[in-house]
Amino acid sequence: MPYQIYALCARLKTVRKEIDGMNKLLYIGIDSVGAGALAGCVLAAAVMLPPDHGIEGIKDSKKLSTRRRAALYEEITEKGIWGIGIASPDQIDRMNVQQADLAAFGVALGNCLRNAPAGKFPVIVDGNKMIPYYLGEQYAVVDADNIYENVSAASIVAKHTRDEMMVKEYAVRYPIYRFEVHKGYGTKMHLALLKEFGPCDIHRKTFSGVK
């Protein structure tokens, strides 16, 4: 075997051991949804599951049906320690979406830690940016929601919570925009409705397609 391939295989084995080891520890996973939407909040979730939680089928929320995601949400929130953080459309317009996303991460982490037992827990954030001003141990990992179980769990809690908000609150308050269908994202339907009716209070006024 050529040396370069051998070295790569050895490194992949090391990474796999690191991932497996982390998934057997108490740690907090954080993920968010809604950054690319034209309307509604960015919503982050932080989740810490016990290693022996027994929940089957946890994976990135985008790979789950609505029904399966809802069932996993119930199990995760029953067996785990969790918190959510929200950045409103006004905050997103004022701060920019990346900074608002990180702010939501921080709020979600704080809410999770308030419910957690005393101790120091590593934090893994999905993406390439870490939470500002948080002095504890944390790691920003691209595609973490496909690698670390608690980050996948956080993606499920975040997606289910935000979808419920868009369907049960905003679709009722603003029925002409059909938020129950597109959840605020820039689909052809949503863009056509924006062109016809203009933006409402929860649209992000600085986003292309809205302004």
Side-chain angles (χ1 to χ4, degrees):
M1 179 186 293
Y3 172 75
Q4 293 90 340
I5 295 176
Y6 176 83
L8 176 60
C9 290
R11 177 57 189 149
L12 288 174
K13 287 181 180 178
T14 301
V15 170
R16 186 72 255 171
K17 286 180 180 178
E18 291 171 356
I19 292 169
D20 290 343
M22 182 61 77
N23 279 329
K24 293 174 183 175
L25 297 175
L26 279 174
Y27 71 99
I28 297 172
I30 302 180
D31 199 5
S32 68
V33 292
L38 302 182
C41 66
V42 166
L43 193 146
V47 172
M48 182 166 63
L49 288 169
D52 59 349
H53 56 75
I55 304 172
E56 296 185 1
I58 294 175
K59 62 178 74 174
D60 177 11
S61 65
K62 295 185 290 294
K63 298 178 179 179
L64 297 165
S65 68
T66 300
R67 179 178 293 183
R68 182 63 183 138
R69 191 164 53 237
L72 284 168
Y73 168 87
E74 295 297 333
E75 287 193 85
I76 292 165
T77 54
E78 178 182 347
K79 295 182 178 180
I81 296 166
W82 57 283
I84 64 170
I86 291 174
S88 70
D90 287 343
Q91 283 179 285
I92 294 166
D93 284 335
R94 188 170 66 251
M95 300 173 69
N96 80 48
V97 70
Q98 184 179 81
Q99 294 303 312
D101 199 26
L102 292 173
F105 281 173
V107 174
L109 175 58
N111 287 331
C112 183
L113 288 171
R114 270 190 283 275
N115 296 320
K120 296 181 179 179
F121 306 103
V123 173
I124 299 178
V125 178
D126 183 59
N128 60 3
K129 302 289 184 182
M130 292 194 288
I131 300 170
Y133 311 116
Y134 178 66
L135 302 180
E137 181 182 1
Q138 67 168 314
Y139 307 91
V141 180
V142 174
D143 206 32
D145 51 3
N146 280 306
I147 303 171
Y148 296 100
E149 191 172 55
N150 286 358
V151 183
S152 300
S155 78
I156 292 167
V157 172
K159 173 67 173 167
H160 177 79
T161 303
R162 187 181 185 277
D163 282 0
E164 289 287 284
M165 185 182 298
M166 297 304 295
V167 171
K168 294 183 178 179
E169 181 177 349
Y170 294 125
V172 174
R173 189 182 303 176
Y174 306 103
I176 60 173
Y177 295 100
R178 304 295 306 278
F179 289 129
E180 73 279 8
V181 177
H182 51 70
K183 313 301 189 296
Y185 288 92
T187 63
K188 289 182 179 179
M189 173 194 286
H190 191 186
L191 292 171
L193 291 168
L194 266 169
K195 187 174 181 180
E196 182 175 358
F197 299 110
C200 70
D201 290 345
I202 68 164
H203 280 102
R204 303 172 186 177
K205 309 304 189 293
T206 58
F207 274 44
S208 176
V210 177
K211 60 182 179 180

